[in-house]
Amino acid sequence: CAMAKNAPAIWPGAPGNIALDWEDGDAAAVDAAFARAAHIERVRLIDTRLAPSAMEPRAAIASFDAQAQRYTLIAPTQGVAVVRKILAENVFNIPVSQIRILTHDVGGGFGMKVQVYSEYAALLCAARRVGRPVKWCASRLESFLTDTHGRDGVLEGELALDAAGKFLSLRAQTYVGIGAYTSIYAAIFATANTKNCLSSVYVIPAIHIGVKMVLTNAVPLGPYRGAGRPEAIYIIERLIDKAAQAMNIDRADLRRRNLIPPSAMPYKTPNGPIYDSGEFQPILEKAQALADWKGFAERRKASERNGKLRGIGIGCFLEVAGGILDETVDLRFEPDGKVALRTGAQAMGQGHLSTFVPLLAQRLGIDPRAVRLVQGDSDEVPAGTPSVASRSIMMAGSATAIACDQAIEKGRRGAAHLFETDADDIDFTDGTFRVVGTDRTISILDLAARMRVTAMSEDLSGGLDSVAKFLSPQMSFPNGCHICEIEIDPETGVVAVVAYTAVDDVGNVLHKPIVEGQIHGGVAQGIGQVLGEQVVYGGDGQLLTASFMDYVMPRASDMPQMSVHHYVVPCTTNPLGAKGAGESGVAGSLPSAVNAVLDALACRGVSHLDLPMTPQRVWLALQRARSQ
């Protein structure tokens, strides 16, 4: 262990291999609540180190224009602006204008491709030296060895309850193995992201968290889908299940007793966030009904008749979304008749063409075929935040809505100028400006073309083009309830997920298939961590899981037919009412799957099992319980 008394020091300047020792919350209030508690529940959980394993490995093509003294890098990033800024300012010490980053289609990122990697700098240097483009593509082995990993922590939690099962206080302590070097975003997800989710959907009057970021002889830790949020939910949901068993209270009922009511919104949590909206009890009840919670006892009996163990688990959750709370888009009505939206948000499988394009088309009342989405070119897009933290639609989408509104307002004044009337007499409907009470009309695309060749006032000299910034007053809070049902073969230890129900509140749903696809992917990654994924190093520091022969990726056959549903409570802090959908699948699946496995094993006397719950671990746990 890197924190052991005689452990070798990774860096001389970090005694005990502690990179950061951080805490937040009212420790005195937490201690007082624990002192008067009728019951205290405790957990110590292993949060296994994971390899993001995107379908497309990292790759790049670098070139250098000697005449212009300018670098170009083509690479699968999660946002070109940050990569350019870091390479220019922190590596080459040159103006950002001397580097161009291009990102085309990206075959998955999950947080791993948000980093600026040393290979990118080396390739650019090599291209300049040899005077020719240089290309490189990581092998899967190299990906395991050098891509930032995810998770990797020890999670400790204590929950204080009164005699009626009301939560009084929560205390958490996490130890996060960040690897041998600190990556760009490590401190954010290890501290703030976990802290901000600790109240989840529950009334918990007092909360305190301590975090130790620990240096280890491993690949640097980076953000990985959920990035600190599932850790908080995992702690809370395991504490609740254990407390329910100890206090002889139904686990769903214990959750229900402590849910934040809709009447409390906006609700200020003791850990900082202020929830603008949420209806958590109806979501729990909808999930139970859809999962046929009441019929589980009969299904368990049927499994027992077949020699199997069956379990069901709940995972209620709330996470924070948005990341950095400002985003800029550039909307241009171009000479070819297209409307171009330039945004720093980067698609990597989220279907931006299927969300941003119809959003803009609907707002402006134009054919989607007239919309051009421009991403992935640092020469073209505004500087902004990468695609992280489930923020694309919430932030860039809201900025797009504002840009459209600005363009329409300019259009009213432009149409008034052309029609020689007052702007208040101009109506805009379905892409057309009309002088009220007349048949005098002009489409927004025709108006944009006319304004380019017509003398206008100075404030309309740019036509209908608009650069808009959205500043969110706070994070948004996707939430939901997932119920996982599993079956275990006690002879082999194999765990099969036989049913999965998800009810999510992601705010307003702009594109249902995209949202549900995001939830499917998050659920698969959460279940993958539960059932087998784990990066393992040997005692000599050798990576033992360096290929898919050894690293257990979930397969399609490991996943059930998921039942995904929505409960919409619009977000009140952005113009689209969106809360984000990219990461909530993990937050719901990790605790619900663990709770389901432990529910199945409980009848055989197994009360705890560390991740991953592989067939070998499950079988050994059953054998130990039998021998005792």
Side-chain angles (χ1 to χ4, degrees):
C1 177
M3 293 178 62
K5 185 175 181 180
N6 297 318
I10 308 295
W11 295 102
N17 291 319
I18 303 299
L20 178 68
D21 192 346
W22 179 89
E23 65 177 290
D24 182 88
D26 189 337
V30 169
D31 291 344
F34 271 84
R36 66 176 187 274
H39 179 75
I40 296 173
E41 194 58 62
R42 297 178 175 86
V43 294
R44 186 178 187 273
L45 308 168
I46 302 301
D47 187 30
T48 42
R49 176 173 277 253
L50 304 178
S53 302
M55 180 172 63
E56 174 196 32
R58 284 191 299 115
I61 302 173
S63 59
F64 180 73
D65 184 332
Q67 184 174 355
Q69 288 290 293
R70 196 160 191 254
Y71 297 93
T72 298
L73 179 74
I74 303 172
T77 75
Q78 291 182 220
V80 293
V82 169
V83 174
R84 179 179 68 164
K85 180 178 176 64
I86 292 173
L87 284 171
E89 297 179 355
N90 300 102
V91 178
F92 291 99
N93 194 27
I94 58 176
V96 293
S97 60
Q98 287 184 237
I99 293 184
R100 184 185 189 188
I101 308 297
L102 294 171
T103 292
H104 304 304
D105 292 334
V106 181
F110 314 125
M112 175 268 289
K113 289 179 183 170
V114 77
Q115 310 288 341
V116 180
Y117 289 91
S118 56
E119 291 93 344
Y120 299 161
L123 289 165
L124 291 169
C125 287
R128 177 169 184 163
R129 175 165 292 189
V130 302
R132 299 180 62 185
V134 178
K135 67 179 181 179
W136 163 82
C137 179
S139 67
R140 190 58 66 178
L141 170 61
E142 289 169 332
S143 292
F144 276 106
L145 286 169
T146 62
D147 294 354
T148 55
H149 290 162
R151 310 285 189 255
D152 197 11
V154 177
L155 315 175
E156 297 177 351
E158 296 178 286
L159 181 66
L161 305 91
D162 68 13
K166 286 285 189 178
F167 301 160
L168 303 175
S169 181
L170 174 68
R171 183 188 290 132
Q173 175 68 54
T174 66
Y175 305 88
V176 185
I178 64 169
Y181 304 88
T182 304
S183 68
I184 300 170
Y185 304 98
I188 297 173
F189 64 76
T191 59
N193 282 9
T194 300
K195 183 269 290 187
N196 285 335
C197 294
L198 281 174
S199 190
S200 187
V201 295
Y202 306 109
V203 175
I204 307 177
I207 296 175
H208 182 270
I209 180 175
V211 177
K212 284 184 168 63
M213 294 174 60
V214 185
L215 292 160
T216 63
N217 282 311
V219 171
L221 205 70
Y224 175 63
R225 201 171 196 164
R229 302 169 185 85
E231 286 82 342
I233 303 304
Y234 186 26
I235 292 171
I236 298 160
E237 293 299 295
R238 282 303 302 140
L239 283 167
I240 294 173
D241 261 29
K242 287 191 68 179
Q245 185 178 24
M247 299 179 74
N248 197 28
I249 301 173
D250 177 79
R251 51 194 158 146
D253 186 47
L254 182 57
R255 288 172 169 83
R256 193 175 291 108
R257 293 182 195 185
N258 291 281
L259 292 172
I260 301 165
S263 60
M265 300 298 169
Y267 176 77
K268 188 175 191 319
T269 66
N271 52 312
I274 300 174
Y275 302 163
D276 65 284
S277 59
E279 297 178 12
F280 308 133
Q281 182 168 329
I283 289 175
L284 169 61
E285 292 172 352
K286 182 176 181 177
Q288 285 188 282
L290 291 167
D292 188 18
W293 183 267
K294 292 181 179 178
F296 173 72
E298 288 302 316
R299 296 194 295 278
R300 171 173 270 175
K301 289 177 183 177
S303 293
E304 289 172 350
R305 287 194 292 270
N306 292 323
K308 304 290 181 65
L309 308 177
R310 199 176 189 100
I312 193 167
I314 303 176
C316 292
F317 67 90
L318 175 144
E319 58 163 7
V320 297
I324 298 172
L325 298 177
D326 70 86
E327 189 69 23
T328 300
V329 299
D330 184 342
L331 182 67
R332 301 184 199 175
F333 290 74
E334 300 194 322
D336 64 356
K338 300 278 190 179
V339 181
L341 177 70
R342 290 166 167 81
T343 171
Q346 179 63 51
M348 49 181 172
Q350 306 96 319
H352 283 186
L353 283 170
S354 300
T355 49
F356 282 96
V357 170
L359 167 64
L360 191 149
Q362 183 180 24
R363 286 267 171 169
L364 297 181
I366 61 177
D367 191 318
R369 290 172 293 183
V371 178
R372 177 182 295 123
L373 182 63
V374 180
Q375 299 179 313
D377 185 344
S378 62
D379 281 0
E380 293 282 346
V381 304
T385 303
S387 290
V388 294
S390 305
R391 70 187 305 278
S392 292
I393 283 297
M394 172 195 167
M395 296 302 303
S398 292
T400 299
I402 294 170
C404 290
D405 292 345
Q406 291 177 176
I408 292 167
E409 181 54 35
K410 287 182 179 181
R412 282 197 175 92
R413 289 182 278 130
H417 177 85
L418 292 178
F419 291 135
E420 299 180 342
T421 187
D422 192 273
D424 291 339
D425 294 332
I426 301 295
D427 175 63
F428 179 78
T429 306
D430 296 332
T432 300
F433 293 96
R434 179 187 303 274
V435 179
V436 176
T438 76
D439 60 357
R440 301 170 68 193
T441 65
I442 186 170
S443 73
I444 191 170
L445 295 180
D446 288 341
L447 177 61
R450 289 280 299 276
M451 289 177 70
R452 276 195 296 274
V453 297
T454 303
M456 291 282 176
S457 59
E458 185 177 348
D459 62 323
L460 295 177
S461 60
L464 301 185
D465 293 354
S466 180
V467 175
K469 173 179 279 193
F470 173 58
L471 294 171
S472 178
Q474 63 176 47
M475 301 284 191
S476 65
F477 305 98
N479 62 86
C481 178
H482 290 195
I483 295 179
C484 180
E485 193 164 332
I486 63 94
E487 200 174 56
I488 298 173
D489 182 347
E491 297 301 317
T492 62
V494 171
V495 178
V497 181
V498 294
Y500 196 95
T501 301
V503 178
D504 282 74
D505 172 17
V506 301
N508 286 332
V509 178
L510 273 68
H511 194 294
K512 188 177 177 184
I514 291 292
V515 168
E516 293 183 355
Q518 287 290 294
I519 293 168
H520 285 175
V523 168
Q525 286 177 290
I527 289 177
Q529 181 176 9
V530 174
L531 297 186
E533 287 192 57
Q534 183 182 22
V535 172
V536 179
Y537 288 89
D540 58 355
Q542 177 70 34
L543 181 64
L544 302 180
T545 50
S547 75
F548 292 143
M549 293 285 287
D550 307 297
Y551 186 83
V552 184
M553 285 281 285
R555 297 170 179 264
S557 58
D558 296 321
M559 303 302 299
Q561 186 68 35
M562 283 182 264
S563 177
V564 176
H565 303 268
H566 306 282
Y567 189 99
V568 177
V569 182
C571 181
T572 64
T573 56
N574 67 69
L576 298 179
K579 294 181 178 178
E583 296 168 294
S584 57
V586 180
S589 60
L590 175 59
S592 64
V594 169
N595 286 342
V597 173
L598 291 173
D599 179 54
L601 294 174
C603 66
R604 297 289 183 91
V606 178
S607 59
H608 176 78
L609 187 61
D610 285 328
L611 295 176
M613 296 177 172
T614 60
Q616 181 187 32
R617 286 175 180 245
V618 171
W619 185 85
L620 286 173
L622 288 168
Q623 300 312 303
R624 285 194 295 268
R626 179 184 297 175
S627 67
Q628 293 171 2

